[in-house]
mmCIF file of all heavy atoms in Angstrom:
data_model
loop_
_atom_site.group_PDB
_atom_site.id
_atom_site.type_symbol
_atom_site.label_atom_id
_atom_site.label_comp_id
_atom_site.label_asym_id
_atom_site.label_seq_id
_atom_site.Cartn_x
_atom_site.Cartn_y
_atom_site.Cartn_z
ATOM 1 N N ILE F 26 0.439 49.717 49.711
ATOM 2 C CA ILE F 26 0.346 50.530 50.919
ATOM 3 C C ILE F 26 1.716 51.148 51.176
ATOM 4 O O ILE F 26 2.724 50.430 51.244
ATOM 5 C CB ILE F 26 -0.094 49.669 52.114
ATOM 6 C CG1 ILE F 26 -1.498 49.111 51.850
ATOM 7 C CG2 ILE F 26 -0.051 50.465 53.404
ATOM 8 C CD1 ILE F 26 -1.902 48.026 52.808
ATOM 9 N N VAL F 39 18.514 56.563 50.462
ATOM 10 C CA VAL F 39 17.924 55.839 49.332
ATOM 11 C C VAL F 39 17.940 56.685 48.058
ATOM 12 O O VAL F 39 17.167 56.476 47.143
ATOM 13 C CB VAL F 39 16.472 55.384 49.639
ATOM 14 C CG1 VAL F 39 16.459 54.363 50.751
ATOM 15 C CG2 VAL F 39 15.598 56.583 49.997
ATOM 16 N N GLN F 65 7.684 65.470 49.474
ATOM 17 C CA GLN F 65 8.020 65.227 48.070
ATOM 18 C C GLN F 65 8.363 63.762 47.807
ATOM 19 O O GLN F 65 7.970 63.186 46.794
ATOM 20 C CB GLN F 65 9.213 66.097 47.666
ATOM 21 C CG GLN F 65 8.867 67.543 47.371
ATOM 22 C CD GLN F 65 10.091 68.305 46.914
ATOM 23 O OE1 GLN F 65 11.161 68.180 47.513
ATOM 24 N NE2 GLN F 65 9.950 69.074 45.857
ATOM 25 N N TYR F 103 7.769 68.616 55.519
ATOM 26 C CA TYR F 103 8.054 69.627 54.509
ATOM 27 C C TYR F 103 7.192 69.309 53.287
ATOM 28 O O TYR F 103 7.252 68.212 52.748
ATOM 29 C CB TYR F 103 9.536 69.613 54.141
ATOM 30 C CG TYR F 103 10.432 70.180 55.220
ATOM 31 C CD1 TYR F 103 10.955 69.360 56.209
ATOM 32 C CD2 TYR F 103 10.733 71.536 55.247
ATOM 33 C CE1 TYR F 103 11.771 69.880 57.212
ATOM 34 C CE2 TYR F 103 11.547 72.059 56.237
ATOM 35 C CZ TYR F 103 12.058 71.227 57.217
ATOM 36 O OH TYR F 103 12.859 71.760 58.214
ATOM 37 N N PRO F 121 -9.967 56.731 49.658
ATOM 38 C CA PRO F 121 -8.986 57.811 49.578
ATOM 39 C C PRO F 121 -7.566 57.264 49.561
ATOM 40 O O PRO F 121 -7.284 56.194 50.109
ATOM 41 C CB PRO F 121 -9.259 58.624 50.847
ATOM 42 C CG PRO F 121 -9.869 57.657 51.796
ATOM 43 C CD PRO F 121 -10.683 56.722 50.959
ATOM 44 N N SER F 128 -2.380 60.260 66.327
ATOM 45 C CA SER F 128 -1.004 60.709 66.553
ATOM 46 C C SER F 128 -0.256 59.883 67.586
ATOM 47 O O SER F 128 0.950 59.700 67.492
ATOM 48 C CB SER F 128 -1.003 62.183 66.975
ATOM 49 O OG SER F 128 -1.397 63.003 65.898
ATOM 50 N N ASP F 157 11.313 49.070 56.329
ATOM 51 C CA ASP F 157 11.226 48.638 57.725
ATOM 52 C C ASP F 157 11.171 47.101 57.781
ATOM 53 O O ASP F 157 10.665 46.455 56.868
ATOM 54 C CB ASP F 157 9.966 49.227 58.362
ATOM 55 C CG ASP F 157 10.015 49.220 59.877
ATOM 56 O OD1 ASP F 157 10.735 48.377 60.448
ATOM 57 O OD2 ASP F 157 9.317 50.043 60.500
ATOM 58 N N PRO F 196 10.832 43.489 45.188
ATOM 59 C CA PRO F 196 10.770 43.147 43.756
ATOM 60 C C PRO F 196 10.221 44.305 42.914
ATOM 61 O O PRO F 196 9.629 45.232 43.439
ATOM 62 C CB PRO F 196 9.805 41.958 43.742
ATOM 63 C CG PRO F 196 8.912 42.183 44.906
ATOM 64 C CD PRO F 196 9.802 42.790 45.964
#
Side-chain angles (χ1 to χ4, degrees):
I26 297 168
V39 294
Q65 281 183 315
Y103 288 90
S128 291
D157 199 335

